[in-house]
């Protein structure tokens, strides 16, 4: 086996035991910083695997974008260079289109609706559909709701968005959403957003409180107006490379799946604590949190539904129908 291969299978013969023990080292990537809830989820998986296999499966977690930006980590996972990745579902739509449905504005009524969908038929169907794109969809993590924030002019109504250059994730639905609001979408990797806000290359962006706050990308330091539009709730995904999966024994596949499932509750708990805390933190620091008429934003985004109704088959309807 070539030494540069990241998926390393080391066969160690232990003196005194008849059977050879196979040590498996897996690399996991996340662009969020250390201690962010998604990273806490991956670290829990790592501990779980260590415990369950007596250290035989070692999951090494690389946080903070050490292995590349989000799009690049998805590509590397598809190729089997990275074994496991935690990403937003938004950029995954370029690899497997149905995932993009989660970016539809105001798709979920609330968090409990979202979790019913993700844990239900549609959520499972989309996870297993990812196989066709070279991924094993292991789990969803919480990412709350996304809200707009700006450097200069605060967004108080849809009219305020006219002509604003707003950074978006790399996802077509989001681009269309910005256009429906009269803004100019500027897709870029999140790691570049802080300085783009600072230099005025963009006027604003959108994200949840933890990513905006000090536990995430610290955009609150340069964009001081945060408007509670809650226009989308885009779940996070934990994906394993199909190449890696195919190399594992049935029982090791099971360990990985169990570890991922167990990590969901840990991530959700950390998420809940942090989202309240981040909201307080940014306000304490002087960022303005602005309430808006949400239904005005919802109405303005109707054209996005007209456009995507066909593309997503009956997925949108099935999601809205979940009670
Ligand atoms: C955050 C997600 C992260 C995305 C980021 C973004 O946790 O994975 O990269 O949004 O806006 O909420 O790109």
């Amino acid at each position: 086996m070539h030494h540069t291969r990241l998926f390393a299978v080391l066969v160690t013969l232990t003196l005194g035991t008849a059977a050879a023990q196979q040590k498996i080292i897996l690399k996991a990537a996340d662009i969020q910083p250390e201690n962010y809830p998604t990273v806490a989820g991956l670290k829990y998986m790592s501990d779980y695997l260590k415990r369950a296999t007596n250290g035989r499966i070692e999951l090494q977690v690389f946080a903070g974008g050490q292995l590349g930006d989000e799009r690049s980590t998805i590509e590397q996972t598809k190729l089997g260079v990275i074994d496991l990745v935690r990403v937003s579902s938004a950029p995954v739509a370029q690899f497997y289109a149905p995932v993009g449905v989660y970016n539809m504005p105001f798709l979920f009524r609330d968090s409990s609706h979202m979790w019913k969908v993700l844990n239900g038929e549609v959520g499972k169907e989309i996870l297993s559909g990812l196989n066709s794109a070279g991924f094993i969809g292991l789990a969803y993590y919480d990412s709350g709701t996304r809200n707009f924030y700006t450097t200069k002019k605060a967004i108080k109504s849809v009219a305020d968005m006219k002509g604003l250059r707003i950074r978006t994730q790399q996802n077509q639905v989001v681009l269309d959403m910005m256009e429906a609001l009269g803004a100019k979408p500027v897709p870029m990797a999140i790691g570049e957003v802080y300085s783009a806000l600072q230099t005025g290359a963009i006027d604003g962006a959108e994200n949840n409180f933890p990513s905006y706050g000090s536990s995430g990308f610290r955009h609150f330091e340069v964009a001081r107006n945060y408007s509670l539009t809650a226009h989308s709730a885009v779940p996070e995904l934990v994906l394993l490379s199909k190449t890696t999966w195919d190399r594992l024994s049935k029982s090791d596949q099971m360990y990985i799946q169990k570890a991922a499932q167990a990590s969901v509750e840990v991530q959700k708990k950390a998420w809940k604590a942090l989202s309240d805390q981040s909201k307080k933190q940014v306000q304490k620091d002087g960022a303005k949190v602005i309430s808006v008429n949400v239904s005005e934003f919802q109405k303005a985004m109707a054209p996005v539904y007209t456009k995507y109704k066909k593309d997503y088959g009956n997925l949108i309807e099935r999601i809205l129908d979940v009670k």
Side-chain angles (χ1 to χ4, degrees):
M1 186 167 291
H2 199 265
H3 71 279
T4 57
R5 197 166 274 176
L6 288 173
F7 177 97
V9 180
L10 307 171
V11 178
T12 19
L13 283 166
T14 317
L15 276 177
T17 51
Q21 268 244 322
Q22 233 192 10
K23 169 124 187 160
I24 294 173
I25 298 175
L26 303 174
K27 306 239 176 212
D30 193 322
I31 51 124
Q32 290 282 10
E34 293 289 345
N35 303 325
Y36 193 84
T38 55
V39 178
L42 296 185
K43 286 188 175 163
Y44 182 83
M45 275 189 77
S46 178
D47 291 344
Y48 182 105
L49 289 168
K50 189 174 175 185
R51 242 183 296 124
T53 67
N54 276 323
R56 189 174 50 81
I57 300 183
E58 184 182 336
L59 180 68
Q60 302 175 337
V61 179
F62 296 87
Q66 289 175 69
L67 301 185
D69 69 22
E70 198 157 45
R71 202 197 139 86
S72 152
T73 59
I74 300 169
E75 271 162 0
Q76 293 181 69
T77 305
K78 189 177 166 80
L79 295 171
V81 176
I82 291 174
D83 302 292
L84 191 135
V85 75
R86 192 296 310 169
V87 285
S88 166
S89 54
V92 179
Q94 291 178 0
F95 299 81
Y96 178 63
V99 178
V101 77
Y102 296 139
N103 271 93
M104 291 300 290
F106 300 103
L107 180 68
F108 300 117
R109 291 186 299 276
D110 50 31
S111 164
S112 110
H113 178 215
M114 180 183 86
W115 281 105
K116 267 190 203 148
V117 171
L118 299 180
N119 293 329
E121 243 179 60
V122 173
K124 286 184 189 149
E125 208 173 283
I126 289 179
L127 279 189
S128 51
L130 283 157
N131 288 11
S132 65
F135 306 104
I136 304 299
L138 292 176
Y140 293 105
Y141 282 169
D142 209 338
S143 191
T145 57
R146 297 176 74 95
N147 304 278
F148 289 109
Y149 45 90
T150 50
T151 50
K152 295 194 188 96
K153 185 171 156 194
I155 296 171
K156 293 182 177 148
S157 68
V158 173
D160 292 325
M161 297 205 61
K162 196 160 179 56
L164 290 186
R165 292 170 59 82
I166 305 285
R167 177 270 170 173
T168 70
Q169 293 183 286
Q170 286 148 306
N171 174 292
Q172 191 55 43
V173 176
V174 192
L175 299 185
D176 291 321
M177 186 169 95
M178 294 302 159
E179 271 160 16
L181 293 169
K184 294 201 188 89
V186 184
M188 67 171 80
I190 193 154
E192 294 161 30
V193 176
Y194 189 102
S195 71
L197 288 166
Q198 219 171 14
T199 60
I202 53 172
D203 303 304
E206 45 95 55
N207 221 314
N208 51 45
F209 272 116
S211 294
Y212 171 69
S214 60
S215 49
F217 291 89
R218 311 191 70 91
H219 297 164
F220 75 100
E221 292 174 347
V222 283
R224 305 295 273 166
N225 313 293
Y226 190 92
S227 303
L228 299 170
T229 48
H231 52 272
S232 64
V234 187
E236 315 277 23
L237 274 172
V238 181
L239 305 175
L240 189 84
S241 170
K242 189 159 183 305
T243 311
T244 304
W245 180 260
D246 291 340
R247 284 197 193 117
L248 295 171
S249 69
K250 282 266 171 310
S251 66
D252 285 351
Q253 291 176 345
M254 190 202 69
Y255 282 129
I256 299 222
Q257 239 156 3
K258 287 223 161 124
Q261 273 154 21
S263 75
V264 173
E265 285 317 308
V266 173
Q267 191 276 341
K268 280 169 82 171
K269 224 170 152 191
W271 174 261
K272 205 176 170 322
L274 186 64
S275 38
D276 296 341
Q277 195 188 310
S278 304
K279 184 176 181 183
K280 289 196 190 112
Q281 176 261 313
V282 299
Q283 281 177 303
K284 204 167 156 215
D285 189 82
K288 266 184 258 148
V289 175
I290 300 147
S291 297
V292 300
N293 178 355
V294 170
S295 68
E296 192 211 352
F297 283 82
Q298 194 165 0
K299 274 192 206 123
M301 297 201 203
V304 184
Y305 276 85
T306 314
K307 175 170 176 189
Y308 284 98
K309 229 182 216 147
K310 262 216 227 88
D311 297 34
Y312 289 124
N314 60 358
L315 269 185
I316 296 176
E317 240 168 77
R318 285 171 64 203
I319 290 175
L320 296 177
D321 279 353
V322 172
K323 289 285 161 325

